[in-house]
Amino acid sequence: MNLVLFGPPGVGKGTQGMRLAQEEGLAHLATGDILRAAVRDGTEYGKRAKAFMDGGKLVPDEIVVGMIEERITGNGDAGFLLDGFPRNVAQARALEAMLDGHGMHLDRVVFMHAPEDALIERLSGRLICRACGFSFHRQYSPPRVAGRCDRCGVELYQRDDDRAEVIAERLKVYRAQTEPLLAYYRDAPGFRQVDAAGEMQAVFADLKQAVED
Ligand code: AP5
């Protein structure tokens, strides 16, 4: 199975996508995580991407498309779950062309949505493990030991782009550039919508059903 999860910042793509990919045996390909690793490692792509990410803007398509193509095609027979890509209509077209070129296709495109006040609350309270990337939330899913990851004990941090002014910019960029994907995918046979406003377990059950149904 090959699937795309898309939706606004903070809707739960990373949290739910990581778990769904594990349960379904898919590669979890999250462009945000891939870009943050490139910034951390100081690669050429990372150096070019950093200023865009810090400002809440999209990284130019040619950087992101190249990075994702390597991973989709180097993934053997395992399916993939794309989280955070495509992010605009040009990336959706590029994805279609790359899949066509390799005799592949998308089985599901799932749109996750939640009200904006919930997104802001989720992003402002998010904490992430420096080692494994697992997300916690100060209020909704706090770690057992403050400031430490439950899984690997490593320190948790707040993303630079989870500051209030950058969150506002990311939501603006989402509305202008990513929301048009709804019109692009809505009539595709594998399109599904999931209301992600509820608590995590209930959202996961709905997502799993949307994917397997
Ligand atoms: P990226 O990392 O993809 O960020 P994003 O899309 O803004 O999404 P987030 O990771 O912020 O949110 P999420 O939906 O994954 O939510 P999460 O599960 O963590 O991109 C970052 C930047 O990289 C972009 O701004 C851009 O610059 C660049 N970039 C990435 N991809 C690109 C592309 N394709 N093209 C160009 N540029 C690109 O959940 C959030 C919090 O809420 C967590 O704390 C979680 O514990 C909590 N939570 C989750 N679900 C629930 C729930 N149901 N109830 C309560 N709390 C919940």
Side-chain angles (χ1 to χ4, degrees), residues 7-16 30-33 35-36 49 52-54 56-61 64 83-88 91 122-123 125-128 135-138 140-141 159 161-162 170 196-201 203:
V11 76
K13 303 180 296 295
T15 307
Q16 305 289 2
T31 37
D33 292 346
L35 287 163
R36 278 183 292 277
F52 295 99
M53 298 175 76
D54 287 349
K57 311 276 188 210
L58 293 189
V59 172
D61 292 344
V64 182
D83 157 6
F85 182 91
R87 200 68 156 234
N88 57 31
Q91 291 184 11
R122 289 181 190 181
L123 293 171
R126 173 166 57 185
L127 295 169
I128 298 178
S135 277
F136 295 86
H137 190 280
R138 287 194 174 94
Y140 302 125
S141 56
R159 265 170 52 177
D161 61 351
D162 280 347
R170 286 162 62 201
E199 62 84 28
M200 282 184 213
Q201 191 56 38
V203 173

Side-chain angles (χ1 to χ4, degrees), residues 54-85:
D54 287 349
K57 311 276 188 210
L58 293 189
V59 172
D61 292 344
E62 74 270 14
I63 297 183
V64 182
V65 170
M67 288 175 121
I68 210 74
E69 183 157 21
E70 279 169 19
R71 284 165 173 88
I72 285 176
T73 54
N75 193 33
D77 287 338
F80 58 76
L81 182 157
L82 285 172
D83 157 6
F85 182 91

Side-chain angles (χ1 to χ4, degrees), residues 15-31:
T15 307
Q16 305 289 2
M18 190 184 266
R19 181 168 169 201
L20 185 65
Q22 253 165 20
E23 289 199 10
E24 302 281 340
L26 306 173
H28 179 213
L29 304 176
T31 37

Side-chain angles (χ1 to χ4, degrees), residues 35-36 39-40 46-59 157-170:
L35 287 163
R36 278 183 292 277
V39 171
R40 196 180 50 234
K47 285 181 197 151
R48 287 175 61 198
K50 187 174 185 322
F52 295 99
M53 298 175 76
D54 287 349
K57 311 276 188 210
L58 293 189
V59 172
Y157 75 103
Q158 180 167 36
R159 265 170 52 177
D160 287 343
D161 61 351
D162 280 347
R163 286 175 291 122
E165 65 278 19
V166 190
I167 293 174
E169 180 62 23
R170 286 162 62 201

Side-chain angles (χ1 to χ4, degrees), residues 96-111:
E96 216 168 292
M98 94 181 61
L99 293 177
D100 275 355
H102 290 89
M104 299 161 86
H105 66 278
L106 292 176
D107 299 287
R108 291 279 181 274
V109 176
V110 184
F111 171 58

